[in-house]
Amino acid sequence: MMSSANRVAATRGSGRPRQAVLDRELILRTALRLLDERGEQGAGIRDIARELGVRPSALYNHVAGQDDIIAGLRELVSDRIDVDGFGSLPWDAAVRLWARSYRRAFAAHPPTIALLAVRPLVPGSRTGRMYDAVCAGFLAAGWPEERVLTVVVALESFILGSALDQVAPDDMLDPGDGDDLQHFRAAYAARARGLAERRASDAAFETGLDALLAGLGAELAGAGPVGGAALSPDGGSAVGEA
């Protein structure tokens, strides 16, 4: 399989290319591959340039720097998140499609979870438009405007944890042998029997998603916010004690 650097060299050697050999898309895809293979410390400007067989300065014709590359990585991953259900399906069915594709997108590139989870969005990004489509779908379904982002972030927290679980070893909760941990070991064995050919991480994700959507559906139907009584600004219950 030809490396990125060899592809660049081969194109250069075949006469003047019809378009620029080095472009933003190639830089970002190379950065994402290096991030997957080597982690954040192995996916810097110099690493990318070395992989592509160019000087680091050449990259700055297409990206502003490392922060711009990271913003681009967010877009590469979030472009794979399906928001088509919002506006065409019931809100909970749309959330299922969105959540499943969101999990797949990040599970395919686990290092991006820690890298992107604490970085603010870049204004005007395609990722921002993804969030806009999700918010529009929630609002169209009748969700109060002040609740929409709280619900979306709650779902995201679950989805990203589930993405990590998807790439974890299937036996990571194996209690091992011994005479102790009887309840834990019995539950572990029973789960294995019940799963048949299904992965435990997939079963856990679908169970959690069902539970979240059931609770959120109850809230939308008028049962009140998920999580119990609202809190006052000092952290106490906003509902007075009897």
Side-chain angles (χ1 to χ4, degrees):
M1 184 175 181
M2 190 177 291
S3 69
S4 298
N6 289 337
R7 284 197 299 272
V8 171
T11 307
R12 284 175 173 164
S14 61
R16 186 175 181 180
R18 295 180 181 179
Q19 60 184 15
V21 173
L22 186 64
D23 60 16
R24 181 179 177 84
E25 183 76 6
L26 178 59
I27 292 169
L28 294 178
R29 291 193 178 280
T30 302
L32 184 57
R33 177 168 57 79
L34 292 178
L35 181 66
D36 286 338
E37 294 173 356
R38 308 176 189 176
E40 184 178 359
Q41 300 307 312
I45 291 284
R46 292 185 178 277
D47 303 294
I48 298 166
R50 187 180 304 112
E51 184 71 10
L52 292 173
V54 300
R55 294 180 180 275
S57 58
L59 272 59
Y60 289 96
N61 293 320
H62 309 280
V63 295
Q66 190 69 19
D67 286 344
D68 189 25
I69 289 174
I70 292 172
L73 293 181
R74 187 193 295 274
E75 292 193 329
L76 278 186
V77 177
S78 63
D79 282 348
R80 303 171 189 177
I81 299 174
D82 187 352
V83 296
D84 289 344
F86 293 102
S88 62
L89 296 174
W91 74 273
D92 52 347
V95 168
R96 284 188 188 279
L97 287 178
W98 173 73
R100 288 168 178 161
S101 64
Y102 199 135
R103 176 178 176 245
R104 283 194 303 270
F106 277 91
H109 306 285
T112 61
I113 297 175
L115 179 64
L116 301 177
V118 296
R119 289 180 178 264
L121 287 178
V122 174
S125 67
R126 297 195 302 272
T127 306
R129 292 195 289 275
M130 181 272 288
Y131 280 112
D132 190 66
V134 174
C135 290
F138 273 80
L139 291 169
W143 280 90
E145 192 171 38
E146 68 275 12
R147 286 287 290 160
V148 170
L149 274 181
T150 298
V151 171
V152 170
V153 172
L155 286 163
E156 281 189 312
S157 298
F158 164 71
I159 293 165
L160 290 173
S162 296
L164 288 175
D165 190 35
Q166 189 174 13
V167 298
D170 288 335
D171 61 352
M172 67 174 297
L173 286 181
D174 188 342
D177 298 323
D179 295 330
D180 58 346
L181 308 179
Q182 293 180 6
H183 303 296
F184 182 14
R185 195 160 36 254
Y188 185 83
R191 183 185 70 169
R193 291 192 299 272
L195 287 172
E197 298 300 318
R198 195 179 188 193
R199 287 197 66 198
S201 58
D202 293 334
F205 172 72
E206 293 297 336
T207 298
L209 188 58
D210 285 345
L212 281 167
L213 289 176
L216 292 171
E219 174 179 344
L220 185 60
V226 174
L231 298 181
S232 64
D234 64 1
S237 174
V239 178
E241 295 182 359

